[in-house]
Amino acid sequence: MEIEERKTKIEDRIFTIRGKQVMLDRDLAKLYHVETKQLNRAVKRNIERFPDDFMFQLTIEECSRCQIGTLNIKQGQNIKYLPYAFTEYGIAMLSGILRSESAISANIRIMRAFAEMRKMLPQIGNINDRICLLEYHHISMKEQISHTIDKVEFLMNKLQDNAPTTFKQGIFFDGQIYDAYAFVAGLIRKAMKRIILIDNYIDETVLTLLDKRAEGVTATICTRMVSKQLQLDIKKHNKQYPPIEVQIFSKAHDRFMIIDDEVYLIGASIKDLGKRWFGFTLMENTTADELIERI
């Protein structure tokens, strides 16, 4: 398995389908060192965690047009199994139900691969994926490539400028999972020296989100309780990646995120962003040092 993974980069297993970057169940299963049917059974047992923007099943037409992997779909051939495609959010959710050491390690590498793909998309556009998009939308190659590159450059410029973090307050509604995720990721990316998260409910997905911080930025989580499983996740994470310090702190009811010298009040746990309505506020009359002294 290790030899096979070296030959094929994770980035090569990421496809663009229905306008989304996804990975197929069989490729994820190989990375997690489980059988595909075992992975899908685990998903079905937790299906309420996988809405349509987290996971969807490919159609025969999509498999045929995109020529994915070795499906070898022939005209008139009966297909007993159509693969499931998982978006980045679906893959992050998989980390909550597949808790083996190899699955946790693979999930971290996959999240980093998606991040690298976003950075390099204008230069490494996959030809097969672009052809699939061209046929699917029935527009010319020149127009589609131009439109795609312009859109990606626009989004990347907004991320680099930390556009989501210019808002001082606002509300995210249920279903705005990506918008809320992008907002918090923008806060984390703009940190220059420290991030302190005060949140009583965390899981391993919070560790992955904090890994988006810049090199040299410290990260600390203050939470009221750390389960044995989470202790193991933190230990394994810190052996491989820049460490995240976790402190027991039970005095806070609300959630706060300190970014350098700014303090944000966030109305939902980071792991549950976008599931229900929540608001955020930049607390301009509260200093970071004031909170830190009381922790």
Side-chain angles (χ1 to χ4, degrees):
M1 182 62 66
E2 290 296 325
I3 295 175
E4 182 180 349
E5 288 180 13
R6 292 193 189 102
K7 288 182 178 179
T8 304
K9 294 182 179 179
I10 293 177
E11 289 87 345
D12 294 336
R13 304 181 187 186
I14 299 176
F15 300 94
T16 301
I17 302 173
R18 302 184 193 178
K20 300 177 181 179
Q21 286 186 303
V22 300
M23 291 187 68
L24 301 184
D25 50 8
R26 60 177 187 180
D27 291 332
L28 290 168
K30 290 179 181 178
L31 291 170
Y32 294 152
H33 295 181
V34 298
E35 294 183 359
T36 304
K37 59 183 179 181
Q38 181 181 348
L39 182 147
N40 286 331
R41 278 199 299 265
V43 170
K44 289 178 181 178
R45 288 196 297 267
N46 298 270
I47 195 63
E48 69 280 357
R49 299 188 183 187
F50 294 89
D52 291 342
D53 55 336
F54 279 41
M55 177 194 76
F56 54 87
Q57 189 171 28
L58 301 190
T59 64
I60 293 178
E61 185 179 13
E62 285 171 335
C63 294
S64 178
R65 285 180 173 177
C66 296
Q67 299 178 356
I68 295 173
T70 57
L71 289 176
N72 294 327
I73 297 174
K74 300 178 181 179
Q75 186 174 3
Q77 180 180 358
N78 292 323
I79 304 299
K80 293 183 179 180
Y81 164 72
L82 291 172
Y84 286 92
F86 291 81
T87 66
E88 184 174 356
Y89 311 115
I91 295 170
M93 188 61 71
L94 281 173
S95 65
I97 62 174
L98 297 174
R99 294 180 176 273
S100 69
E101 182 177 342
S102 60
I104 292 170
S105 175
N107 232 70
I108 293 172
R109 289 187 289 121
I110 291 169
M111 292 296 100
R112 292 187 180 277
F114 269 94
E116 290 301 316
M117 288 287 286
R118 285 195 296 273
K119 292 178 183 178
M120 302 177 64
L121 189 58
Q123 289 79 32
I124 62 169
N126 184 282
I127 294 176
N128 287 336
D129 293 340
R130 291 193 179 193
I131 292 174
C132 178
L133 286 173
L134 290 174
E135 294 179 348
Y136 192 78
H137 294 292
H138 303 288
I139 60 176
S140 70
M141 179 176 292
K142 182 177 180 180
E143 291 174 342
Q144 176 66 9
I145 292 176
S146 176
H147 173 73
T148 301
I149 292 176
D150 289 345
K151 185 175 181 180
V152 170
E153 288 180 347
F154 172 75
L155 291 175
M156 292 302 296
N157 288 336
K158 287 182 73 67
L159 284 174
Q160 292 171 358
D161 295 339
N162 293 313
T165 65
T166 60
F167 296 104
K168 295 182 179 180
Q169 61 183 16
I171 297 176
F172 289 97
F173 298 97
D174 57 307
Q176 287 189 274
I177 295 173
Y178 179 77
D179 293 340
Y181 173 87
F183 168 72
V184 173
L187 290 179
I188 291 170
R189 287 191 181 99
K190 85 165 190 173
M192 301 295 292
K193 57 181 182 179
R194 66 184 175 189
I195 300 170
I196 301 176
L197 172 65
I198 302 174
D199 190 339
N200 285 334
Y201 303 98
I202 64 170
D203 61 15
E204 67 275 10
T205 62
V206 177
L207 305 180
T208 302
L209 190 57
L210 287 174
D211 282 339
K212 295 182 180 294
R213 68 191 189 277
E215 184 177 356
V217 176
T218 63
T220 303
I221 299 173
C222 299
T223 188
R224 69 177 184 177
M225 182 179 67
V226 178
S227 66
K228 290 183 179 179
Q229 179 61 56
L230 186 57
Q231 285 179 345
L232 179 61
D233 293 342
I234 295 167
K235 181 179 179 180
K236 296 294 185 181
H237 171 276
N238 290 351
K239 282 185 177 180
Q240 185 172 359
Y241 299 103
I244 296 174
E245 181 182 357
V246 179
Q247 300 178 5
I248 300 300
F249 181 73
S250 59
K251 294 182 179 181
H253 176 272
D254 294 323
R255 294 87 172 175
F256 300 90
M257 179 173 281
I258 298 173
I259 303 295
D260 295 333
D261 297 318
E262 294 180 334
V263 179
Y264 285 84
L265 172 63
I266 300 177
S269 290
I270 300 302
K271 71 181 184 63
D272 296 324
L273 293 175
K275 293 182 179 179
R276 296 183 178 180
W277 294 20
F278 77 92
F280 67 90
T281 302
L282 173 61
M283 303 181 68
E284 297 181 290
N285 295 324
T286 303
T287 65
D289 290 338
E290 181 180 349
L291 260 66
I292 294 172
E293 288 174 2
R294 294 175 178 270
I295 296 176

